[in-house]
Amino acid sequence: MKPPIIFAAVAGILVLAFGIYMIDIDQTEEIRLPDVDVSVESGQLPEFDAEVGDIETGTEELTVTVPTVDIQSPEEDASDGS
């Protein structure tokens, strides 16, 4: 390995170790959600009118001629030449 890569890896490990072991965070107060009283009336979603173009699709049957490929492995070449 190249020395810059090794140096970068060691530096990254040291930064990670510093972050894990040198910082201590303690929770000092428990969470409490607010009390909420809500009165709600029914809402309404917006309506949209859209005019879009028509797309016609269909299928068509085609016959395609596919070339054949003959592949011989080196073992087959050796057995054919004997």
Side-chain angles (χ1 to χ4, degrees):
M1 289 178 72
K2 296 181 180 180
I5 295 173
I6 294 171
F7 178 72
V10 170
I13 291 170
L14 290 175
V15 168
L16 182 63
F18 177 78
I20 292 173
Y21 294 110
M22 301 303 272
I23 299 173
D24 184 24
I25 299 174
D26 295 322
Q27 183 176 354
T28 58
E29 191 172 327
E30 294 292 322
I31 188 171
R32 184 176 59 93
L33 296 175
D35 295 329
V36 179
D37 292 328
V38 178
S39 62
V40 178
E41 295 180 17
S42 63
Q44 178 179 340
L45 294 174
E47 291 184 14
F48 295 97
D49 287 331
E51 293 181 19
V52 296
D54 292 333
I55 298 175
E56 294 181 18
T57 60
T59 60
E60 182 179 339
E61 189 171 321
L62 295 174
T63 303
V64 178
T65 304
V66 179
T68 58
V69 179
D70 184 24
I71 300 175
Q72 292 185 353
S73 67
E75 294 85 19
E76 291 176 350
D77 287 339
S79 67
D80 290 343
S82 298

